[in-house]
Amino acid sequence: MKKITFFLLLTSAFVSAQKSTLEQKINSITKGKQATVGVSVLGFDNNFKYSQNGEKRLAMMSVFKFHIACAALDLVDQGKLSLDQKIFIKKSDLYENTWSPYRVKHPEGNREATLNEIIDYTVALSDNNLCDLLIGLTGGTQAVQKFMNSKGIKDFQIKYSEHGMALNGWDSLYENYTTTSSTVDLLKKFYDGKLLSKKSTDYLMQIMLGTKTGANKIVEQLPKGTPAAHKTGASGRKDDTLTIAENDMGIITLPSGKHYAIAVFVSNSKESETENCKIISDISKVVWDNFNK
């Protein structure tokens, strides 16, 4: 019994030292920055937890496309939707003044796309127009909210679609919020198969591993080839002075085959876009180093 107690004390001391070192490094990155930085980290195999501003409700931006995809895939699991089903996309569905790689490729619309294609564009390419189509297929933002509530996800609110945010102005961006602590907890539930079937979980993991946005955020300083299943978000700059959100979150696979979730949200920042992304990239690097000691 004494040996077990000593081991537990030793492990606790090691974890505390790890957290202290990590906190010092993250503080050195955020020190003096004109921004609120939310950071949460969760080790899947050792239950290592770290959080700074992790309970602050911050604007999600396109990070919410992960939540939307989960809600849609839940309907696939129920047999109410199918990845192979085709949805007709009208030209009027493709708004011009928004991020939409799909519209760039198919400016006239008026063609069919599979649900699989819509989810891929929504998550891996963060397409705003197809995101809103996906929201419609799930039954609207209230249906996404209901799904997340049913899974016990706390501190999450989705009120507006992408076009809804565009119509309602900058303040509406804050109405779609979550916390970084909620985000890493959600990612752990997702990875553990507590949100979706194994088939849908594996499917969405593969799409996130193929994310094309945010190469200068979480993944930038990780060793080349590191599996990073992530989803980014960005607000752009209000009045060319304030960035409401520059975000990234995801599941990282270590060389050992173990995993951790990380979420870094840079909010209400007066720093440059380059600096906001560098904050995320630098924090991601020190977290990676912390797990690879």
Side-chain angles (χ1 to χ4, degrees):
M1 182 63 73
K2 288 183 179 180
K3 286 184 179 180
I4 294 173
T5 302
F6 177 73
F7 175 76
L8 291 173
L9 288 171
L10 194 64
T11 301
S12 177
F14 175 73
V15 170
S16 295
Q18 258 192 318
K19 287 182 180 179
S20 178
T21 301
L22 182 60
E23 184 160 44
Q24 288 174 14
K25 290 181 178 179
I26 289 175
N27 284 341
S28 71
I29 293 167
T30 60
K31 185 178 180 180
K33 298 296 189 296
Q34 299 181 80
T36 296
V37 182
V39 183
S40 291
V41 181
L42 177 60
F44 288 2
D45 305 276
N46 60 2
N47 206 35
F48 174 87
K49 292 182 179 180
Y50 172 82
S51 197
Q52 184 175 121
N53 292 322
E55 305 308 318
K56 285 185 177 290
R57 291 177 171 180
L58 306 174
M60 283 185 290
M61 299 313 302
S62 287
V63 165
F64 80 161
K65 290 169 181 168
F66 170 76
H67 303 72
I68 294 162
C70 286
L73 287 168
D74 177 60
L75 295 178
V76 172
D77 288 340
Q78 294 180 46
K80 295 178 180 179
L81 293 176
S82 167
L83 290 175
D84 296 328
Q85 78 180 79
K86 294 181 179 179
I87 294 91
F88 188 77
I89 300 175
K90 304 185 297 293
K91 185 175 182 179
S92 59
D93 292 325
L94 303 176
Y95 295 101
E96 295 183 17
N97 298 317
T98 192
W99 173 257
S100 183
Y102 185 87
R103 184 185 175 278
V104 171
K105 188 173 183 180
H106 306 288
E108 296 303 313
N110 295 323
R111 69 183 296 272
E112 290 182 329
T114 63
L115 179 60
N116 173 52
E117 190 176 4
I118 290 172
I119 292 175
D120 190 49
Y121 265 95
T122 296
V123 178
L125 293 168
S126 207
D127 192 292
N128 291 340
N129 284 322
L130 295 204
C131 169
D132 283 359
L133 283 172
L134 191 60
I135 290 173
L137 290 167
T138 65
T141 56
Q142 291 180 339
V144 178
Q145 183 74 57
K146 185 177 180 180
F147 171 71
M148 286 294 151
N149 292 347
S150 75
K151 297 299 181 179
I153 305 305
K154 307 296 184 183
D155 293 318
F156 167 82
Q157 176 175 287
I158 178 171
K159 187 173 180 180
Y160 293 107
S161 65
E162 289 286 358
H163 191 56
M165 285 189 281
L167 289 175
N168 286 279
W170 288 100
D171 287 347
S172 68
L173 275 56
Y174 294 102
E175 296 296 321
N176 291 342
Y177 64 73
T178 192
T179 68
T180 55
S181 289
S182 172
T183 301
V184 295
D185 287 343
L186 171 65
L187 289 170
K188 180 67 162 61
K189 283 189 174 183
F190 166 71
Y191 182 81
D192 287 344
K194 293 179 180 178
L195 294 184
L196 303 168
S197 69
K198 185 179 188 309
K199 183 177 180 181
S200 289
T201 299
D202 292 346
Y203 166 79
L204 187 51
M205 274 287 289
Q206 286 304 309
I207 287 180
M208 292 172 71
L209 286 166
T211 289
K212 306 295 191 300
T213 57
N216 58 344
K217 296 185 185 180
I218 279 176
V219 301
E220 183 179 45
Q221 297 184 60
L222 301 184
K224 189 174 181 180
T226 298
H230 68 122
K231 183 71 202 80
T232 60
S235 66
R237 292 174 71 80
K238 179 183 179 182
D239 300 327
D240 203 34
T241 57
L242 182 74
T243 298
I244 291 174
E246 193 74 65
N247 303 336
D248 203 356
M249 64 85 171
I251 299 169
I252 312 300
T253 303
L254 295 159
S256 64
K258 295 181 179 180
H259 303 82
Y260 65 89
I262 178 172
V264 187
F265 291 1
V266 180
S267 300
N268 296 323
S269 175
K270 293 183 179 179
E271 305 293 335
S272 68
E273 180 183 347
T274 299
E275 186 60 37
N276 291 330
C277 293
K278 187 175 186 299
I279 290 169
I280 297 173
S281 175
D282 287 347
I283 290 174
S284 178
K285 178 61 164 61
V286 299
V287 170
W288 170 270
D289 290 342
N290 187 73
F291 276 97
N292 280 280
K293 286 180 178 178

